[in-house]
Amino acid sequence: MLKRLGYHAIPPEDEALRAPLRALLAEHMAGRPADLRARSWMGHDAELSRKLGRAGYIGLTFPKRYGGGGRSAFARFVVVEELLAVGAPVAAHWIADRQSGPLLLNFGTEAQKERYLPGIARGVTYFCIGMSEPDSGSDLASIRTRAGRTADGWRLDGQKIWTTGAQHADFMIALARTGEAGEGKGGRHEGLSQLIVDLRAPGVTVRPIPDLAGDEHFCEVFFDGVRLAPDALVGTEGAGWAQVTAELAFERSGPERIYSSVVLLDAWIGHLARNGADAEATRLVGALTAELTALRMASLAVTALLAAGEKPATEASLVKDLGTSFEQDVPARIGDYLAAHPDEPVEEELLRTLFYLSAVVPSFSLRGGTREILRGIIARGLGLR
Amino acid sequence: MDPLFLDMFGRVLDDALPAEVTRAIGDGAPFDESWAAVAASGFLDALLPEAAGGAGLGMPFGLFFRLGEQAAALPVAETMVARALLHAGGVAAPDGPVALADLTNGRFLPYGAVARHLLVDTGGVLQLLPMAAVDARRVAGAGSTAAQLVGPGGAPVAELARPVDGLLPVVAVLYAAQMAGAVQRVLEMTVAYAGTRRQFGKPIGRQQAVQQNLAVMAEEAMLAAIAAQVGCAGDSLRIGREAAAVAKTVAGRAAGRVAALAHAVFGAIGISAEHALQLYTRRLRQWAFAAGGAGYWSGVLGADRLAQGAGLLSVDYVRRVAGGPAA
């Protein structure tokens, strides 16, 4: 059975990070409408990332010798919460901060850490993640992108797709087949490796794919005989599957997965303040607020496990599945409410926010592992697999 | 909570209130011996200050959760709270189970038919009444220990000051914590059953469709426990209405979803009187219904949230409700 999650408070020294960060964001984001803020970690703003890096809010959990903050997971929780609370456009540095940086810290060589981590922490070096391919989504082990050893390093050929932020990123950490799959159960997880690809290298083509909201955040990336230096390999050759699994556990364990619709919730509360709230509206505000409170405490409990040096992969999957369900519920229920009150004028900004989120929320339970995959991980944690 | 203390409590419950006793009490059998065993353990006074022979606990999430895992047939949690309130008010606690009621709400008493006394919040004071003096009617039905308060009671045997926010948040939270325990127990029973029940040549727990439902149950169980802990936070019986609202709303949702999914996995045998599942799902539904349901408490929380104004971020509001430093 799973570990019971407990009630945790954030240490005061980490709470102290809030006020100065809030002031920085208030200045940078003044006048930004709710529908833009709702894009939050889809919004690319290198200027903000540089400001955050200068002020020490990126790479908080990295050791100081790599330009990080040397702080705990609680400090990172506070910063992420503040950024998402107001819908700050954090996409530029987001993946490097939450996934690639921790991956390099765990599996990278000393030289790789020294080379990449300081730039990530300064908010100037951006990463994307090369996992999905045209025929490989949830079945990640079926990827066909190949990296082969050459006399002077590696040669990479193949294609990635749905790669978020590739058009803005400096580097990709790509999962590629470097050896043959093994025999038997789990054998297909063998022969995979992670490699750092400089996206400006010859042979790399990045093509953004417009999304249903009119934005461009994910991309196709083609590798045509891309030459990589010998030190492009991250971690151990052939151990890519275990490394990717660990990386996705970081992805699932932060408070990122409960707050994606909170800008809409606050915009709707603003609407109710102007138009009045009937009993139905009041109950809906309360129900959503109750769920959000419990989700936050659950996310904080996972953070406490991380801070204690544990690897709460299953618990993180529980919180992520619940969190993304909540994020998807918010526009559905607020939309229902507004549609049930057709005589109540709805501000155009609120409508734009509602329709933007309604369109993109299906992606919340796709990115970083689908709902069905997460529930499979939970079932394994329950001893059913 | 000290695990040894909790283990000891678990052993007391296993001895005094096992499933067969729960069934017998539901059928109207006398329970004096069982109650005497619980009382003799001293746990009924766990919430009293240490100087008065208690353990000085506030709202003991761990003990209430364990009571939920037992689907206890008697109001042990209510009596613990009542005895602490009576002690604080300088009133000697009566023997026997005590039910809690708030006259302004929640007149459905899950243990009204087995309580000897009622501690009632009139809106101005708390009154202790013998159950015999109260106009309450048993709610008939299989396994029912419930009663409905029909009208105001007779003469109280004692009066004392009510908690600042009244009795209702306290009662809501103790049911929320018990729901969290019962939901966890139902999850464990269901996972075990899915591992042994075979259909189509393999355990049903190997079917992905069943695994997905069990994963949802695990999620709800986790969230119910954390929400109940939000309600139990702090070291006194002074429970804020907002924290109680989080606990009761979220645990109540979990109770409904987990009961429904568990019955779906167990199939027909779960509907039989003989199977233990019904002992839990009955309690889950009654605890969700009593002391204000999810709709009532959502209204309470929503009204407070809206009263704070649209200038306050939701993130700051939930931090405040969950007991973090004020925004």
Side-chain angles (χ1 to χ4, degrees), chain B residues 18-104:
Chain B
E20 60 270 23
V21 171
T22 294
R23 288 172 187 281
I25 293 172
D27 292 339
F31 50 80
D32 303 82
E33 231 173 274
S34 302
W35 186 260
V38 176
S41 74
F43 275 101
L44 292 177
D45 285 331
L47 278 57
L48 268 58
E50 288 184 34
L57 302 173
M59 284 292 269
F61 169 76
L63 299 185
F64 294 166
F65 185 94
R66 183 63 187 79
L67 280 163
E69 290 182 298
Q70 196 79 15
L74 295 171
V76 177
E78 287 88 331
T79 306
M80 286 178 174
V81 166
R83 294 176 76 91
L85 290 170
L86 290 167
H87 174 83
V91 176
D95 290 336
V98 184
L100 303 174
D102 185 319
L103 267 189
T104 59

Side-chain angles (χ1 to χ4, degrees), chain B residues 159-259:
Chain B
E159 275 194 358
L160 52 150
R162 71 198 276 273
V164 177
D165 288 308
L167 203 48
L168 194 62
V170 184
V171 185
V173 167
L174 67 83
Y175 289 144
Q178 290 182 96
M179 281 192 272
V183 153
Q184 179 65 30
R185 182 77 194 101
V186 167
L187 168 67
E188 288 164 10
M189 289 165 69
T190 312
V191 168
Y193 180 75
T196 53
R197 168 72 173 168
R198 296 176 72 87
Q199 291 287 278
F200 305 106
K202 60 182 179 184
I204 59 172
R206 306 281 297 175
Q207 303 279 6
Q208 288 204 5
V210 175
Q211 291 181 352
Q212 297 270 314
N213 282 341
L214 291 166
V216 171
M217 291 172 68
E219 291 172 3
E220 292 291 334
M222 183 276 289
L223 205 62
I226 209 102
Q229 289 176 80
V230 169
C232 291
D235 53 5
S236 73
L237 291 185
R238 202 178 148 185
I239 310 282
R241 284 166 59 79
E242 292 73 34
V246 170
K248 194 64 167 40
T249 301
V250 173
R253 182 186 84 162
R257 290 185 182 177
V258 168

